Amino acid sequence: MKDKLSVDIPDIAVFGCGYWGKNLVRVFHGLRRLRCVCDLREEPLRQVESQYGVETTQDVQAVLRNDRIRAVVIAAPAVEHFDLAKRALLAHKDVFVEKPLALRTQDGSELVELAARQERILMVGHILEYHPAVETIKRLITEGELGKIQYIYSSRLNLGKLRTEENILWSFAPHDISVILSLLGEVPTKASAQGGSYLNPPIVDTTLSTLDFASGVKAHIFVSWLHPFKEQKLAIIGSQKMAVFDDLQPENKLVLYSHRIDWFDRKPVATKDGSQVIRVSNDEPLRVECEHFLDCVLTRRTPRTDGESALRVLEILEACEDSLWKKGVPVEVQKSHINYFAHPTAVIDEPCQIGERTKIWHFSHIMAGASLGFDCNLGQNVVISPNVRIGNSVKIQNNVSVYTGVELEDDVFCGPSTVFTNVINPRSHVVRRHEYQKTLVKQGATLGANSTIVCGVTIGRYAFIAAGAVVTRDVPAFALVVGVPAKQIGWVCSCGVRLPDQDEEASCPECDRTYTINATSCQQVVSVPLSGRSASRGAG
């Protein structure tokens, strides 16, 4: 990757070379991508020039006008993040901004929307998500090593740099909140916080926050910059094992404990059962994070810690701050970035993408990594698995599971209890995730109730799969197939009405669309808007 980066990726500029910015300057210089450093202070710039020999400037606009600089890294004080990031995005730069993304959810939302409109990368520096120990913990949770997660506790304490532009909650807690969301794959429903202001009221110096999740997990976050010693710990308590990540340990950063709770005479008894050190990579998290940003600039992939994930952190911080001023009263987490409907019984695992005006009904489950377009409608008990891609205006009726490997293009209709598969020879005791086969359902196709789509096939545009059919091979565009296994018996119009059985040319009796037909294909040659009659009939 490094050879490719050195050739293809444009140079970057770093805004701010102070307390944390100097580390970003060091790493990006080491990656041979640092072209310029911008800061309003002369002394730090002189130090950068002396140490690294790169260009320096106090003129932000000069950097943004430079076409050779296509990406910027913002490490200025938090109060300046929104303004600098907005100016950079408007100048068509990719942006990596240190946490927090902004100091208001409204501003963070504006940046996310602007980045999407400008088609720019927006990444936020939640560095702990790139720590090898955190990546290992996430793998252990996914593999079930810890059992059911019961609660998480984190502490970030220090007698260090005091802030005047934001309180301790905004300065320290974003690290822990972002990691907890990543590990659990869900967003809390409520947040509460208590704290104290001792040095410079009303700036808060210590806070203890609690996050309540729909799954029943609780997370407790203790942060302070007014503590006699430094501590950075994360404890994940599971039903089978407990994991402790101590970032200040030089070697044994991650330890698993096999302690358990046994019951005797209906009373719980703690049983300690040793510990196990889990070896993790010594890769510097900041370097991993910076390399990830450069890779996203190169490939145009969405960053792991993108603007959407940072916006969720802001929403939780605002809820905690609201609770803080209400003396610890729990506050509902407002998801301002959500512009779709999800029934309260639906489960939405973050991160995932759900388009505007999409509706998700009772007991449905959208898993992390899934992507749904706008104006979709998912009925009851629908499951969308990780990495599934669903287009716009897709209707999925009750009791349908769309498994990894399936892609539904725009306007696809899945009838009740449609069945998808993703391996052809499943065994309960054999893991075949690496053998998933792709199933593609193209635009406008209809899958009838109780139809089964065996993996590895492509269903053509506006094809019609009859109720109960079992599809085992590719289906041409506009084909009508029925039976077990499914066989083609004719052709259908894009409005859903069967075409007359004739060769060469056929017209739809409902909407007057015209098609050329032969033994193997059907192609529309005239497109006439649906009449009121056919539109009404097709709406079902």
Side-chain angles (χ1 to χ4, degrees):
M1 183 182 88
K2 293 177 183 175
D3 291 340
K4 196 173 184 181
L5 287 177
S6 64
V7 173
D8 296 334
I9 291 194
D11 292 338
I12 67 164
V14 174
F15 290 162
C17 54
Y19 177 73
W20 185 248
K22 63 185 179 183
N23 294 313
L24 288 160
V25 168
R26 168 182 60 82
V27 171
F28 280 111
H29 180 267
L31 294 171
R32 304 192 305 279
R33 294 274 51 96
L34 181 64
R35 179 175 181 84
C36 177
V37 176
C38 181
D39 200 302
L40 297 180
R41 301 164 302 162
E42 294 183 358
E43 180 56 31
L45 292 181
R46 281 196 292 267
Q47 293 177 5
V48 167
E49 285 183 0
S50 173
Q51 188 169 1
Y52 300 110
V54 298
E55 297 177 22
T56 61
T57 181
Q58 294 176 288
D59 188 348
V60 171
Q61 199 57 38
V63 176
L64 298 180
R65 286 195 303 265
N66 190 332
D67 291 337
R68 296 187 62 182
I69 296 173
R70 299 241 314 274
V72 300
V73 177
I74 298 171
V79 70
E80 300 175 22
H81 286 186
F82 168 70
D83 179 64
L84 287 173
K86 182 176 180 178
R87 293 170 65 183
L89 290 170
L90 289 172
H92 298 283
K93 310 293 185 186
D94 293 322
V95 175
F96 170 14
V97 57
E98 269 303 326
K99 61 82 193 165
L101 172 61
L103 292 180
R104 296 192 312 160
T105 297
Q106 180 180 345
D107 292 340
S109 182
E110 182 178 341
L111 293 178
V112 170
E113 292 173 3
L114 179 59
R117 193 162 61 247
Q118 298 286 90
E119 297 184 340
R120 294 294 92 195
I121 298 294
L122 177 59
M123 174 170 157
V124 181
H126 289 146
I127 188 172
L128 275 185
E129 292 197 44
Y130 301 89
H131 198 296
V134 171
E135 292 177 335
T136 301
I137 293 170
K138 191 167 185 176
R139 176 179 58 80
L140 293 173
I141 292 174
T142 301
E143 294 175 352
E145 184 77 14
L146 306 185
K148 184 181 184 300
I149 305 303
Q150 295 169 328
Y151 78 90
I152 295 177
Y153 169 80
S154 69
S155 58
R156 187 166 300 276
L157 318 171
N158 199 4
L159 184 62
K161 182 175 177 59
L162 308 175
R163 313 275 181 167
T164 56
E165 68 273 9
E166 85 261 16
N167 66 40
I168 185 68
L169 189 67
W170 289 80
S171 182
F172 279 20
H175 291 298
D176 304 282
I177 292 173
S178 68
V179 166
I180 290 168
L181 298 190
S182 175
L183 293 178
L184 295 179
E186 62 175 324
V187 176
T189 57
K190 292 183 180 180
S192 59
Q194 293 183 321
S197 177
Y198 308 105
L199 298 178
N200 185 29
I203 301 298
V204 176
D205 305 304
T206 66
T207 62
L208 177 61
S209 305
T210 298
L211 310 181
D212 292 272
F213 294 84
S215 61
V217 178
K218 285 184 180 288
H220 310 283
I221 303 169
F222 180 31
V223 293
S224 172
W225 55 35
L226 201 58
H227 206 73
F229 56 85
K230 189 173 183 178
E231 179 176 290
Q232 295 177 3
K233 288 185 178 180
L234 178 70
I236 301 94
I237 312 303
S239 60
Q240 296 181 21
K241 293 183 180 180
M242 307 173 183
V244 176
F245 166 40
D246 187 344
D247 200 18
L248 299 186
Q249 288 292 331
E251 296 293 335
N252 302 334
K253 289 182 178 290
L254 180 58
V255 180
L256 283 188
Y257 295 89
S258 299
H259 307 333
R260 65 182 187 276
I261 306 297
D262 296 320
W263 289 78
F264 298 100
D265 293 331
R266 293 181 296 176
K267 295 180 181 179
V269 177
T271 302
K272 295 184 178 181
D273 195 17
S275 61
Q276 174 189 2
V277 174
I278 304 298
R279 299 297 176 188
V280 297
S281 167
N282 290 323
D283 292 343
E284 181 187 9
L286 182 58
R287 184 181 179 93
V288 175
E289 182 181 45
C290 293
E291 286 181 335
H292 180 68
F293 175 64
L294 294 178
D295 183 61
C296 291
V297 171
L298 174 65
T299 63
R300 312 314 295 170
R301 286 202 300 246
T302 300
R304 189 188 314 177
T305 52
D306 65 351
E308 286 280 359
S309 66
L311 190 55
R312 288 188 284 271
V313 173
L314 292 186
E315 290 160 352
I316 295 165
L317 287 169
E318 284 196 345
C320 288
E321 188 164 49
D322 190 14
S323 174
L324 194 63
W325 303 128
K326 293 178 179 177
K327 301 187 183 303
V329 174
V331 172
E332 289 191 6
V333 177
Q334 300 297 320
K335 300 176 178 61
S336 62
H337 65 289
I338 287 180
N339 46 17
Y340 59 86
F341 169 80
H343 189 270
T345 60
V347 177
I348 313 293
D349 292 343
E350 302 289 355
C352 64
Q353 295 181 1
I354 302 175
E356 295 182 6
R357 302 180 300 279
T358 285
K359 294 181 174 62
I360 302 167
W361 292 100
H362 308 65
F363 310 112
S364 289
H365 185 186
I366 312 301
M367 302 180 74
S371 175
L372 284 75
F374 57 78
D375 287 321
C376 295
N377 196 319
L378 278 59
Q380 293 186 173
N381 196 34
V382 171
V383 176
I384 308 298
S385 295
N387 303 317
V388 165
R389 295 291 176 265
I390 294 176
N392 303 317
S393 301
V394 172
K395 291 185 178 180
I396 303 178
Q397 303 290 65
N398 299 349
N399 306 313
V400 178
S401 294
V402 186
Y403 296 118
T404 301
V406 177
E407 179 178 352
L408 309 180
E409 292 186 351
D410 295 351
D411 303 314
V412 167
F413 179 91
C414 296
S417 301
T418 298
V419 175
F420 292 98
T421 69
N422 54 16
V423 293
I424 60 172
N425 55 343
R427 293 289 195 191
S428 177
H429 62 284
V430 179
V431 177
R432 288 200 161 100
R433 292 190 183 93
H434 63 289
E435 299 178 17
Y436 287 169
Q437 297 191 29
K438 180 169 182 174
T439 297
L440 175 61
V441 184
K442 291 192 172 183
Q443 180 180 8
T446 291
L447 311 181
N450 294 296
S451 60
T452 298
I453 314 301
V454 176
C455 60
V457 303
T458 295
I459 297 176
R461 296 174 65 245
Y462 298 103
F464 200 107
I465 312 302
V470 177
V471 176
T472 60
R473 56 187 179 181
D474 292 351
V475 176
F478 300 101
L480 172 62
V481 299
V482 303
V484 181
K487 295 181 180 179
Q488 185 177 350
I489 63 169
W491 303 97
V492 292
C493 176
S494 58
C495 73
V497 173
R498 185 171 179 174
L499 296 173
D501 294 328
Q502 59 192 64
D503 294 334
E504 296 184 359
E505 187 172 289
S507 295
C508 176
E510 287 287 318
C511 69
D512 296 328
R513 286 183 172 90
T514 303
Y515 298 82
T516 56
I517 297 173
N518 59 38
T520 60
S521 68
C522 176
Q523 184 176 359
Q524 181 180 338
V525 293
V526 177
S527 179
V528 178
L530 288 173
S531 68
R533 179 172 56 128
S534 60
S536 175
R537 183 173 298 182

